[in-house]
Amino acid sequence: MYSQRSLESRDLETICMFPQCEEELFYVSPRFVYPLTTDQILNIVKDRFEPTVILNNVTKEVVAYANIYKDDSEESSFWLGNVIVSPKYRGKGAAQYLLNVMLDKAKNNLRIERIKLACHSTNSRGLAFYSKYGFKPFDMKVTSIDAKKFITIHMSKELF
C-alpha cells in the first residue's frame, strides 16, 4: 500500500498541510511556527539525514514525512525528527510504515546502533505508538515556551 523515497521540493507544500493546529505542529517540532511553511522545512532539513516521504502506492500522494538528525553535544547520538502523517492517513498504517523505513535507514544507511526521539507528554497517542514499537523512555526535559511549561519524554531503541 505504501512506498518511500527521499524528500523532493515538490513535496513541501503537501507536508505543510499535515499539521492541523498549533499543537500538532509543536509535536512535529517546537522550533516550527504555525502555520508550517516550506521555508521552515527547508531551514531545518539542511542539517538532517535521510529526509523521507511515504507515498500511497495507488494515488502517489505524499502521506507522511520524517528525518534523522545528529545531536552534536553527544558522540554518535542520532534522533528521529519531524515525524508527521497526513490526517487522512492516520490510523491506516502509514505511521508504522514510516517508522519501519526510518529505522531501516538509520541502521543500514547510517549504521546507527541506537536511535532516540522526543515525544511531548501531552501526545499520548505518540507515546503509546512509540512504546508499542519498542522505544523506551530514558529521560525527560521541561521546556518553557511563552510562559508555558512542557514536558518532553526522551525515548530510545536499540537497532543492533
Side-chain angles (χ1 to χ4, degrees):
M1 180 168 184
Y2 300 112
S3 59
Q4 60 87 23
R5 66 166 164 74
S6 295
L7 175 71
E8 297 176 0
S9 59
R10 63 185 169 141
D11 305 324
L12 298 175
E13 287 292 334
T14 301
I15 295 166
C16 287
M17 309 256 296
F18 292 171
Q20 299 295 288
C21 62
E22 251 181 275
E23 183 179 34
E24 281 187 15
L25 185 58
F26 180 76
Y27 292 161
V28 178
S29 174
R31 292 174 29 190
F32 287 152
V33 176
Y34 190 80
L36 184 58
T37 63
T38 58
D39 287 342
Q40 290 181 81
I41 297 171
L42 289 171
N43 189 44
I44 213 166
V45 80
K46 65 184 179 206
D47 298 321
R48 303 293 171 114
F49 301 95
E50 303 289 347
T52 302
V53 294
I54 302 305
L55 306 167
N56 175 312
N57 279 343
V58 175
T59 65
K60 302 300 181 201
E61 68 185 303
V62 173
V63 302
Y65 169 73
N67 57 51
I68 296 170
Y69 63 98
K70 187 173 187 332
D71 181 351
D72 293 328
S73 68
E74 292 180 48
E75 180 89 18
S76 69
S77 182
F78 289 87
W79 296 70
L80 180 63
N82 304 135
V83 177
I84 185 81
V85 175
S86 164
K88 187 170 147 185
Y89 287 88
R90 294 176 189 168
K92 297 182 179 178
Q96 180 181 353
Y97 187 86
L98 174 64
L99 183 61
N100 287 333
V101 165
M102 297 310 292
L103 295 178
D104 183 67
K105 287 183 176 210
K107 181 178 178 179
N108 296 313
N109 297 1
L110 300 172
R111 306 313 248 169
I112 297 170
E113 294 181 11
R114 178 180 184 221
I115 192 155
K116 301 174 183 178
L117 60 83
C119 191
H120 303 286
S121 62
T122 53
N123 185 358
S124 55
R125 188 173 176 179
L127 289 167
F129 174 78
Y130 293 124
S131 180
K132 179 179 175 180
Y133 291 99
F135 282 85
K136 303 283 184 221
F138 71 90
D139 197 8
M140 76 174 209
K141 179 175 133 185
V142 178
T143 307
S144 294
I145 298 175
D146 297 332
K148 292 182 183 175
K149 292 190 187 248
F150 299 93
I151 297 173
T152 303
I153 311 296
H154 292 179
M155 304 175 84
S156 68
K157 178 180 174 100
E158 300 297 325
L159 301 178
F160 282 94

